[in-house]
Amino acid sequence: MYSNPFQRLGLERDILSVSQLNQRARHLLEDVFNAVWVSGEISNLAMPASGHVYFTLKDSKAQIRCAFFKQQALPVRHLLKEGAAVRVMAKVSIYEGRGDYQLIVSTLEPAGEGALQLAFEALKKRLFEQGLFANENKQALPRHAKRIGIVTSPTGAVIRDIISVFKRRAPQVELVLVPTAVQGKEATQQIVTALALADQQQFDAIILARGGGSLEDLWCFNEEAVALAIAACQTPIVSAIGHETDISISDFVADVRAPTPSAAAELLAPDTSHLLQHLQQLQQRLSQQIHSYLQRQQLQLNLLRARLRHPSERIQQQQQRMDELEWRLQRAFNQNLTAYKQQLRSLQQRLHMQHPQRLITQQKTQLDTLQQRLTSVIQRQLNQGQQRLNYQMQALHAISPLNTLKRGYSILRDQQQVVSSIEQVQKHRQLTAQVTDGYLELKVLSTHKNTPLL
C-alpha cells in the first residue's frame, strides 16, 4: 500500500501493474470522496441471494454503478424499486477486479415526491389504525341545507365556482366563507383554526376545498393536525381537495369526499327545479292517499252499518248456534262410543287368538304330526338299511372262499401259509387241506410241474 496516493511517478520510467494502478486510483477516490450525497433514479436493480444490492444510479445525462451491502441495505430494501428517485450517501471507489468506477452506498432515502409519498402512506396507515377512517364515525349530509360554511382561500377560482353552483341550483342557501391559506408553511395551522371556527357557527355542513396542484402544493391537507381537526368537527364535512385524481388524507377523514369543489357544491345544493317537481309529486301522492283513505273509511262504515243488527237477532243466532253445537256434540259422542266398541271387540278377538289353551292344542297337534313323521322316517331308513345289508351279504357270499369250497375245491396250507405253488413245499412235508365240511391231513409224496399247453 502506498502511504501517499497523490505521489507522482518519477521521471524515470516507473511501470505499474494494472492492479497497482487500480489500487492507487481507489485510494485516491476514497480519500477525496469519502462521503458524498448523490441523487438519481434506480435502474438495473439486482438483489442476489447474498443479500447485497447492486444497481445503477442515473439522471438524464449520466450514470454510475452502486454497491449497497447487506447490513446497510436491509432496513431500506422496501424502497429499492426500478425507477425510484433516491438520495444516497456513499464513498466513491473503484472495483479493482474490473476497474469499474462505483459508489459504495452507506445510506439511502427517497427523494422528491417519493419521500412525500412515503410520509403520506405512513400517516394514512397510522390514522387508519386509530379509526379515523371508519365508516361508523362518518355523518350523513343534510338533504336540504340552509346554511353552509366554506373553508378555503378567499381568492382564486374555487370560491367563485362554489358560489356559482349554489346560485344556479339553490340560491336560497346561505354561504359563509371561513378564509384560510391553502398552501405554504402557515396553511396547516390556519386550516385547523378555520375548521374549529366553522364548527362553532352552527352550519348545516362545511366544505373544505382547494384547487389542483402538485403533491407539495397540497401537502397541508396531508398533515396529521388537519386530519385530527376534521375528525373533531361535529358538523358534517365535505372534502374537495385538488382535481378528481388527487387524493389527500383529508378526503379519508372527512364524512364525504367530492372529486372537485364544484362537485362538493352540487352535493349540498339540490336543484330547485327538481325540488319543485318533487314537491308537486309529493302533493299529488298526498292527495291520492287522502282520497284512498276516505274511500276505505266510507267502505268500512258501510260494512259496520250492514253488520249492525237488533239484539234479538243476535240471541236467536246464538241459540241456533247452541243447538248446532249440541247436535255436533251428540254425534261426536256416538261416533266415539261406536269406535270404542269396535276397538273392544278387536281386542277381545286378539286376546282369544292369544289364549294359552289354544296355543297348547296347536302345539300338541304339531307334536303328534312330528311324531308320525319321525316314525315314518325311521321305518323307511330301517327298510333301506335292511335292503342294503341283504345286498351286501349276497355280494359277500358270491366271493366267499366257502362258496368255492362247495364246488369241490380245497385250500392247501403249510401250517398258516396257503400253498399256491409246488415251489413252496418239500417232499414228505406234512400239509393241511380245508374242504367244505372239515380238514384233511396230507403228506407230500412227490411234486410234478404242469406241462405248459402249446
Side-chain angles (χ1 to χ4, degrees), residues 179-197:
T180 180
V182 292
Q183 181 176 342
K185 296 182 179 180
E186 304 297 329
T188 300
Q189 186 57 45
Q190 289 190 27
I191 293 171
V192 171
T193 303
L195 286 172
L197 179 62

Side-chain angles (χ1 to χ4, degrees), residues 100-259:
D100 287 347
Y101 167 60
Q102 65 178 3
L103 295 178
I104 306 299
V105 179
S106 59
T107 303
L108 182 144
E109 61 184 34
E113 289 194 2
L116 293 179
Q117 187 64 34
L118 286 176
F120 175 89
E121 295 296 337
L123 178 59
K124 177 182 172 184
K125 179 181 179 181
R126 187 166 70 254
L127 296 181
F128 174 80
E129 292 173 350
Q130 295 176 8
L132 268 67
F133 303 164
N135 290 330
E136 56 266 23
N137 297 331
K138 297 186 182 298
Q139 305 180 70
L141 298 181
R143 296 188 62 184
H144 304 291
K146 297 179 180 179
R147 192 164 176 268
I148 295 176
I150 304 173
V151 178
T152 189
S153 172
T155 62
V158 170
I159 186 63
R160 293 195 298 271
D161 291 343
I162 293 175
I163 293 173
S164 174
V165 171
F166 275 97
K167 281 185 177 180
R168 172 170 50 85
R169 294 172 62 90
Q172 75 279 4
V173 177
E174 179 185 357
L175 302 179
V176 179
L177 174 64
V178 184
T180 180
V182 292
Q183 181 176 342
K185 296 182 179 180
E186 304 297 329
T188 300
Q189 186 57 45
Q190 289 190 27
I191 293 171
V192 171
T193 303
L195 286 172
L197 179 62
D199 193 39
Q200 300 172 4
Q201 301 303 310
Q202 304 298 317
F203 293 126
D204 296 320
I206 298 173
I207 297 177
L208 177 63
R210 189 209 187 281
S214 65
L215 185 60
E216 290 88 346
D217 295 338
L218 302 177
W219 191 251
C220 57
F221 295 96
N222 294 321
E223 295 287 355
E224 184 174 5
V226 174
L228 296 176
I230 294 174
C233 285
Q234 300 299 314
T235 309
I237 296 181
V238 179
S239 175
I241 310 302
H243 298 301
E244 185 171 358
T245 56
D246 295 324
I247 300 293
S248 66
I249 297 294
S250 299
D251 294 332
F252 292 108
V253 183
D255 298 297
V256 176
R257 176 196 177 258

Side-chain angles (χ1 to χ4, degrees), residues 331-349:
R331 185 176 62 178
F333 176 77
N334 293 335
Q335 289 177 349
N336 288 338
L337 183 59
T338 302
Y340 290 145
K341 288 180 179 180
Q342 290 178 353
Q343 186 177 5
L344 179 59
R345 286 195 296 269
S346 176
L347 292 174
Q348 288 176 343
Q349 290 177 358

Side-chain angles (χ1 to χ4, degrees), residues 4 72 100 137 145 155-156 221 328 366 370 379 415 438 442:
N4 183 7
Q72 290 76 27
D100 287 347
N137 297 331
T155 62
F221 295 96
R328 290 174 60 186
Q366 187 176 3
L370 291 175
Q379 187 61 44
Q415 296 180 355
L442 304 177

